[in-house]
Amino acid sequence: MELTVKQVMEELHKLDCKVISGAGGLQNEILVVDGMEVPDIAPWLMEGELLTTTGYSLRDRKDGLLHLVQDMHKAGGAAIILKTRFLGEVPKNVMEESNRLKIPIIETPNRLKYAELKKIVYRLMMEASTPNYDSSEKIQNEFMKVMLSEGDFQESCDKIYDILHLPTLILDGSGILLAKSPQKGSAIPFEVNDFLSNPEYIEFKSSNAVFQNIKYNNELWSVFKIYVHHMVVGCVAVCCGAMGLTKNVRAVMHHAIDTITLQYIKMQAVKKSSSVFDDNLFVDIIMENIKSPQALNYRAQSLNWPAPPFCMVLFNIDNFQEHIKNKTEVEIQHIKNCILQFISNFTLYHHLKNVVISKGDLFVLLLKKNDRTELEHLIESIIDFIKDNLEIDVTVGCVLQIEDYISIKSKYKEAQNVITICRKKFKNKKLMFSDDVLLEQGLLHSMNEYFIQYTQRTIGVLEQYDKEHHSDLLKVLTVLIKNKGVRKKTAEELFIHRNTLTEKLAKIEAILHVDLEKSDDFYNLFLAIFVKELL
């Protein structure tokens, strides 16, 4: 418990002491009491010091009291208790500086002995410090309850807020928001990403410091790193307003960080052990090693997999071989672990029941999420986060509705096909839902030698002609088909004259022995281009 100047004054007021200036510093904390008997005491001043003086050593020094107020401020002192017998009335400029720097000047009667005054202050300091043990034990017990009840990060965050009434964030090592309190309202009035991009936070994150006050939106956030096995796995940030970290906040955070660290250790241990069983079950489903639906249901439920119906989100690293070139196995595994953690933590923060499985450059996410718009926003956030933190692009295929665990094998293949279609046909997109590419999937499944032969005899012939004659006939045909045969629009898009377009189309018809005015020929070439994009 802190002892403030205001609390001391409640006692000293009974002895006719009064605050003559610097009332804005009445909440200053008193940590030590000392007396002044030398002209220049600046080198010996301490933080939180309540300084008593008769002013005798200052009586012959011009502006001596003014400099004392300034030196107290620089040292982080609490207040000055002064007798005016030798100095006389305190000058106006000294009182103004005292007000500006919030260093209270307390005037005492000349009859009051400093020994008596110090005795009162020492008693108050002892009374203030005695409850610390009880308070510390109570705080520890509160966080122990969170651990014993197997509470998560949100419960720890809420407990900090309940005790301190200060907005609180818990972030993982990569900056993903795991919990915040209060969960609603405007107490945390900014985007977390803005806070994480603060230069002070970036510098703190890469430094060896375990704690730092970071100024954001004219308020101080006290940020504490969380260590597990000498590695930073996350941090806790508490908004301390304009005053910054206090002794009380530091005491609470000491116990909170112990609890949150244990939660991290527990989470990592659970993930490590459960991921082996998750991976094994997924492989057994893909390999059709489980014949009984009842046995499959039992294993999935025992691993706490989301109950059907659920959706599957498949993340695939783009150009994976390029990314791992010249990297060690440890570095490659680190990349995979980071992506797994990103996906898991995003879903954890949104309180979504899920399981994440790694298979080489593929990451399978099974989760309960029925709202497509919300799911799309979640996936896009994960894609962006992987890109920002690892400089890696991923393409994602999503199957919205899986009715039972046995269907995971076919839906896994379906999600892979969606990624293939996305990369071949929709090159600027990074996320595609299975329902949006049903026709493409149908063609991909039914692709056979007849499709391939027809495509080679049409599109393949034009490709070869373009290559030999340095022409662009395939491009012209593709744009024409995209524009549903409208020649004016095609010419405008190609930036060529209508007559030039007519000549090029006539050449295409001659090479392929088709008539583009006939719907059958036009449709067949449309299908050939469609198939070519999927090959």
Side-chain angles (χ1 to χ4, degrees):
M1 181 177 175
E2 301 172 3
L3 177 65
T4 64
V5 177
K6 182 179 179 181
Q7 291 169 319
V8 169
M9 279 307 302
E10 289 174 358
E11 290 288 325
L12 297 187
H13 180 72
K14 301 173 186 177
L15 302 176
D16 297 326
C17 298
K18 59 182 179 180
V19 177
I20 62 173
S21 63
L26 289 176
Q27 293 300 327
N28 292 348
E29 183 182 5
I30 297 172
L31 301 175
V32 65
V33 183
D34 201 0
M36 175 180 178
E37 300 299 337
V38 295
D40 184 10
I41 199 172
W44 290 275
L45 293 174
M46 294 182 288
E47 182 181 0
E49 182 170 340
L50 177 64
L51 183 69
T52 63
T53 180
T54 62
Y56 183 80
S57 61
L58 300 173
R59 71 190 190 286
D60 297 326
R61 291 183 62 200
K62 185 180 179 181
D63 294 331
L65 186 56
L66 178 68
H67 293 151
L68 177 61
V69 171
Q70 294 169 341
D71 291 338
M72 283 285 287
H73 173 70
K74 290 178 183 176
I80 300 170
I81 296 182
L82 175 69
K83 287 184 180 180
T84 58
R85 182 197 316 174
F86 298 106
L87 290 177
E89 188 176 349
V90 176
K92 183 180 178 181
N93 67 328
V94 174
M95 296 177 69
E96 289 174 347
E97 189 73 346
S98 168
N99 289 329
R100 185 179 73 85
L101 299 178
K102 298 181 180 179
I103 297 294
I105 296 178
I106 302 167
E107 185 179 350
T108 71
N110 291 326
R111 59 177 168 76
L112 183 63
K113 295 179 181 180
Y114 275 135
E116 183 181 352
L117 185 146
K118 287 183 179 180
K119 183 178 179 180
I120 293 171
V121 177
Y122 285 139
R123 174 177 58 79
L124 293 173
M125 291 179 71
M126 288 295 294
E127 290 175 356
S129 62
T130 301
N132 275 347
Y133 297 102
D134 295 336
S135 176
S136 177
E137 187 176 352
K138 288 177 182 177
I139 294 170
Q140 184 179 17
N141 289 339
E142 287 298 310
F143 284 103
M144 185 62 69
K145 290 177 185 176
V146 174
M147 281 301 300
L148 293 175
S149 65
E150 298 187 355
D152 57 12
F153 294 121
Q154 187 59 55
E155 287 189 49
S156 292
C157 199
D158 291 341
K159 183 61 68 177
I160 295 171
Y161 183 77
D162 289 343
I163 297 172
L164 296 175
H165 304 294
L166 298 175
T168 305
L169 307 173
I170 299 179
L171 308 159
D172 80 348
S174 52
I176 294 176
L177 180 65
L178 298 180
K180 68 175 182 178
S181 288
Q183 297 186 56
K184 296 181 180 180
S186 58
I188 301 178
F190 60 86
E191 289 291 333
V192 174
N193 286 340
D194 293 342
F195 179 72
L196 298 179
S197 61
N198 184 312
E200 288 186 55
Y201 177 82
I202 294 172
E203 183 180 351
F204 166 65
K205 187 178 177 182
S206 59
S207 72
N208 293 324
V210 298
F211 155 79
Q212 184 168 318
N213 279 322
I214 293 173
K215 193 170 185 180
Y216 185 82
N217 281 353
N218 297 320
E219 292 185 312
L220 285 176
W221 284 77
S222 296
V223 185
F224 304 81
K225 288 178 181 173
I226 307 294
Y227 286 86
V228 173
H229 303 308
H230 307 293
M231 292 185 64
V232 178
V233 296
C235 70
V236 185
V238 180
C239 181
C240 297
M243 295 185 64
L245 185 67
T246 64
K247 187 177 178 181
N248 186 42
V249 173
R250 190 186 293 273
V252 172
M253 294 309 299
H254 171 75
H255 296 293
I257 288 169
D258 285 346
T259 298
I260 295 168
T261 302
L262 289 172
Q263 287 174 325
Y264 266 106
I265 294 172
K266 179 181 176 182
M267 180 182 73
Q268 290 178 346
V270 170
K271 278 185 177 180
K272 188 173 181 180
S273 60
S274 65
S275 64
V276 175
F277 293 105
D278 290 333
D279 292 350
N280 289 342
L281 177 55
F282 187 82
V283 170
D284 283 343
I285 294 172
I286 300 302
M287 300 301 294
E288 297 184 345
N289 293 333
I290 307 174
K291 305 302 181 184
S292 166
Q294 290 79 11
L296 176 54
N297 290 341
Y298 175 78
R299 284 183 61 182
Q301 290 167 8
S302 66
L303 293 176
N304 206 28
W305 281 25
F310 52 83
C311 65
M312 176 186 291
V313 184
L314 187 62
F315 297 80
N316 190 204
I317 299 175
D318 296 343
N319 304 312
F320 181 63
Q321 294 303 320
E322 285 295 317
H323 283 295
I324 65 174
K325 189 184 294 183
N326 302 323
K327 283 186 170 58
T328 65
E329 285 298 322
V330 173
E331 291 172 329
I332 295 170
Q333 190 58 49
H334 175 70
I335 292 173
K336 294 179 181 180
N337 289 341
C338 283
I339 295 176
L340 271 173
Q341 183 182 21
F342 295 162
I343 297 170
S344 179
N345 286 350
F346 264 94
T347 51
L348 175 67
Y349 173 67
H350 287 84
H351 306 289
L352 299 173
K353 194 169 185 180
N354 69 88
V355 59
V356 188
I357 296 150
S358 173
K359 286 184 62 61
D361 59 345
L362 288 165
F363 302 87
V364 185
L365 169 64
L366 306 178
L367 79 163
K368 295 282 286 187
K369 192 66 176 175
N370 298 322
D371 188 292
R372 171 170 168 154
T373 302
E374 291 180 5
L375 178 61
E376 190 169 354
H377 178 71
L378 172 65
I379 297 170
E380 287 174 346
S381 297
I382 297 173
I383 293 172
D384 291 341
F385 199 87
I386 293 172
K387 175 68 173 178
D388 292 342
N389 285 270
L390 298 177
E391 297 183 349
I392 287 176
D393 288 310
V394 293
T395 302
V396 181
C398 183
V399 180
L400 279 174
Q401 195 84 351
I402 301 179
E403 298 296 339
D404 49 53
Y405 296 118
I406 205 73
S407 301
I408 286 177
K409 177 181 179 180
S410 61
K411 298 303 181 181
Y412 176 61
K413 181 62 177 176
E414 185 176 323
Q416 287 179 301
N417 288 339
V418 172
I419 291 175
T420 299
I421 293 166
C422 188
R423 284 176 172 158
K424 289 179 176 293
K425 187 171 172 56
F426 306 96
K427 296 181 180 179
N428 294 326
K429 298 197 70 173
K430 288 298 176 184
L431 167 62
M432 189 67 65
F433 286 83
S434 175
D435 291 350
D436 296 332
V437 286
L438 293 176
L439 178 59
E440 287 84 352
Q441 289 185 77
L443 286 171
L444 203 60
H445 278 293
S446 59
M447 200 78 70
N448 55 44
E449 60 178 310
Y450 299 107
F451 274 112
I452 295 172
Q453 285 182 26
Y454 179 74
T455 302
Q456 289 174 343
R457 292 179 181 180
T458 51
I459 306 305
V461 170
L462 279 186
E463 278 186 320
Q464 185 62 32
Y465 183 91
D466 284 340
K467 185 177 180 181
E468 293 174 357
H469 297 83
H470 306 289
S471 56
D472 61 349
L473 297 183
L474 179 56
K475 179 181 178 181
V476 170
L477 178 61
T478 303
V479 174
L480 178 74
I481 288 174
K482 188 188 79 170
N483 290 321
K484 302 179 180 65
V486 179
R487 299 195 176 195
K488 180 181 178 182
K489 189 174 180 180
T490 301
E492 290 173 352
E493 188 170 329
L494 292 169
F495 300 103
I496 59 177
H497 194 273
R498 284 282 301 274
N499 293 339
T500 304
L501 176 62
T502 300
E503 292 173 3
K504 289 178 179 287
L505 294 180
K507 190 171 291 187
I508 291 171
E509 289 176 327
I511 294 170
L512 299 182
H513 307 290
V514 297
D515 183 352
L516 292 172
E517 296 293 337
K518 290 183 177 180
S519 58
D520 285 350
D521 287 350
F522 186 87
Y523 172 76
N524 289 342
L525 290 173
F526 161 79
L527 187 60
I529 289 175
F530 201 97
V531 169
K532 179 67 171 63
E533 290 175 340
L534 300 178
L535 288 176

